[in-house]
Amino acid sequence: MVKIAIVFHSGYGHTARQAAAVHQGACSVAGASATLYPVNDLSENHWAELNAADAIIFGAPTYMGNASADFKKFADASSKPWFAQAWRNKIAGGFTNSASLNGDKYATLMSFVTLAMQHSMIWVGTGMLPANSSQAHRNDINRLGSFIGAMAQSDSDIGADLAPPEGDLATARQYGKRIAEITLQYVKGR
């Protein structure tokens, strides 16, 4: 059984909903298990579990053009496993959510890529074509056209019970599934 850790911050619940969708997708793959780790609740035991995971998926809302401060605090605290190269050759991925369609989500995902590269991890993109035709709808898979990681958009006047929209959650589920499948292939090949 491969172990997938989903480490995330959510300020208003929207990114937590996206994290849950990534979790569902990862758990849908036979031979994979996934665990959600909110960054504000990490204990020493949780850090040990991250070190033992086969894959780590990073998630945070995009605030002011980058990952939230709470996630950044986690990233900075990951220097201890970095010194030991405890995450070296683990599979990595990431997801983000913001109120705007763009909202500079790419910058957040790139900060996750940089974090993964600092840890000598192996990054996995979405592997999804964008929904970018005139026939595309809000609930289509990868409607925001991201290849680097899963993006979601939540209208600022709608609570986490209604946003992000189903297409963005389906994108997150497919992304979680893809990471689990690739992690299984990678672990079996070692």
Side-chain angles (χ1 to χ4, degrees), residues 133-157:
S133 74
S134 63
Q135 302 301 311
H137 297 282
R138 185 176 177 94
N139 286 323
D140 286 346
I141 300 292
N142 201 18
R143 72 180 176 110
L144 299 175
S146 179
F147 296 95
I148 196 167
M151 290 184 182
Q153 182 267 328
S154 299
D155 295 329
S156 63
D157 60 346

Side-chain angles (χ1 to χ4, degrees), residues 20-69:
V22 171
H23 180 262
Q24 290 168 353
C27 289
S28 74
V29 175
S33 67
T35 305
L36 292 166
Y37 294 93
V39 295
N40 294 331
D41 296 330
L42 291 179
S43 68
E44 285 301 315
N45 288 340
H46 292 138
W47 282 98
E49 291 170 14
L50 294 179
N51 293 344
D54 299 296
I56 301 175
I57 305 171
F58 306 119
T62 296
Y63 293 160
M64 303 307 293
N66 214 318
S68 62

Side-chain angles (χ1 to χ4, degrees), residues 41-144:
D41 296 330
L42 291 179
S43 68
E44 285 301 315
N45 288 340
H46 292 138
W47 282 98
E49 291 170 14
L50 294 179
N51 293 344
D54 299 296
I56 301 175
I57 305 171
F58 306 119
T62 296
Y63 293 160
M64 303 307 293
N66 214 318
S68 62
D70 287 347
F71 185 87
K72 181 67 170 108
K73 184 177 178 185
F74 156 78
D76 291 348
S78 76
S79 63
K80 186 174 181 181
W82 174 80
F83 277 112
Q85 287 292 282
W87 298 354
R88 180 178 185 81
N89 295 333
K90 291 184 188 302
I91 300 296
F95 60 93
T96 189
N97 176 67
S98 72
S100 298
L101 282 174
N102 181 327
D104 295 318
K105 288 187 267 285
Y106 179 78
T108 299
L109 291 175
M110 283 307 300
S111 74
F112 296 162
V113 170
T114 301
L115 176 63
M117 295 303 98
Q118 290 279 316
H119 281 281
S120 304
M121 299 171 83
I122 302 163
W123 188 266
V124 174
T126 64
M128 297 175 209
L129 292 175
N132 60 6
S133 74
S134 63
Q135 302 301 311
H137 297 282
R138 185 176 177 94
N139 286 323
D140 286 346
I141 300 292
N142 201 18
R143 72 180 176 110
L144 299 175

